[in-house]
Amino acid sequence: MAVYLCHEQPDLYEHAATVVAVRPGALALDRSAFHPGGGGQVSDTGSIETPAGVVAVATIEIERAPDGDRWWHVLAADDAGDGAEPAAPGEAVVVRVDAGHRRRVAALHTMSHVLNAFVFDEFAGSLVTGAQINGDGTGRMDFDLSAIDNDRLRALEAPVNDVIGRALEVRAVYVSADEAAATPGLVRSLSVAPPPTPDGRLRLIDVDGLDRQACGGTHLSNTAESPPFRITKIENKGKRNRRIRFTSN
Ligand SMILES: [Zn+2]
């Protein structure tokens, strides 16, 4: 499953699946609309309805295997601890992705692209050195920036909120790796490599007229869907790094 089902069908929150493997506290399914996380973004959460009842999914772990990756749906502690397996291989289940969690993460992640675009423009090509988007509507981005006044970073909150007000369309587009390599600024992160597709194409997220960058995460389809964006803290992390903490709660 090198191309994510949630990329192909972003509005799919419930679907049937078959259990392909079981281990204590986790189920592997033949298909899943869960986003597995990555690049600092937490995975989707949700539930699986099995013949024995509904179990909560805390996170996804992908086990690489030559005959196809296994997507382990790791159960929340309450559902994983009693020793009894909730399902057996071959059984049919219903997968449900928590839409509220997906939306919170997608909103914050989309606005982190917008923030990144303003930092990149304002501070001459500054790269991202780390990022984290949490399920509780908070996140952070680290930038390779030295010797600048933190008030200039704080001031970027206003233009980010302007972009929410301007209701810009957000699209996923695919380009060849060669095309991507020939376009400066597409891969802006020093630490986050987006997953390539089986045919070598790269997934780009295009915030209309503002930003275009390689990314495998979940995003809104329009910036107007985001709650207001707030920068909560700016920290110096070593000589060359600034950490911007933000929220859309
Ligand atoms: Zn992204």
Side-chain angles (χ1 to χ4, degrees):
M1 207 186 323
V3 173
Y4 298 163
L5 181 58
C6 62
H7 287 168
E8 293 175 328
Q9 298 185 54
D11 298 323
L12 182 66
Y13 290 101
E14 180 175 327
H15 64 83
T18 302
V19 177
V20 294
V22 177
R23 69 175 202 210
L27 300 175
L29 307 179
D30 66 334
R31 63 195 292 263
S32 176
F34 276 70
H35 189 281
Q41 176 183 323
V42 292
S43 81
D44 277 331
T45 61
S47 64
I48 298 173
E49 186 180 334
T50 75
V54 176
V55 288
V57 176
T59 190
I60 302 291
E61 281 173 21
I62 299 180
E63 182 190 343
R64 304 289 173 199
D67 56 339
D69 295 343
R70 274 192 177 165
W71 281 43
W72 290 104
H73 295 66
V74 178
L75 307 183
D78 286 354
D79 292 321
D82 62 5
E85 306 305 345
E91 281 185 328
V93 297
V94 178
V95 174
R96 292 192 185 92
V97 175
D98 183 328
H101 180 276
R102 166 77 69 82
R103 251 195 317 273
R104 271 194 305 280
V105 170
L108 209 55
H109 187 145
T110 304
M111 299 327 290
S112 78
H113 282 233
V114 174
L115 176 66
N116 185 351
F118 285 121
V119 172
F120 191 77
D121 282 353
E122 199 122 326
F123 303 100
S126 296
L127 295 178
V128 178
T129 53
Q132 196 177 307
I133 304 293
N134 306 314
D136 64 357
T138 66
R140 64 167 172 82
M141 287 186 96
D142 298 342
F143 293 94
D144 182 4
L145 283 169
S146 54
I148 61 134
D149 184 346
N150 284 347
D151 284 342
R152 287 182 65 198
L153 288 174
R154 229 167 261 125
L156 297 178
E157 183 181 285
V160 170
N161 281 301
D162 280 351
V163 169
I164 296 174
R166 281 159 60 198
L168 300 185
E169 211 183 305
V170 182
R171 304 176 207 90
V173 293
Y174 289 85
V175 297
S176 72
D178 290 349
E179 194 183 336
T183 312
L186 275 187
V187 181
R188 292 210 191 131
S189 171
L190 295 175
S191 63
V192 180
T197 58
D199 61 5
R201 290 178 313 157
L202 212 58
R203 181 177 190 256
L204 305 182
I205 297 301
D206 184 87
V207 181
D208 191 28
L210 183 82
D211 185 56
R212 202 167 226 233
Q213 61 182 286
C215 188
T218 53
H219 307 84
L220 302 174
S221 54
N222 190 296
T223 58
E225 296 161 27
S226 175
F229 178 87
R230 215 152 43 81
I231 291 176
T232 52
K233 198 173 186 187
I234 296 173
E235 296 163 276
N236 298 342
K237 288 278 167 191
K239 231 163 67 182
R240 295 172 53 99
N241 277 294
R242 300 299 165 103
R243 172 166 295 175
I244 305 181
R245 293 188 183 276
F246 47 80
T247 179
S248 56
N249 283 332

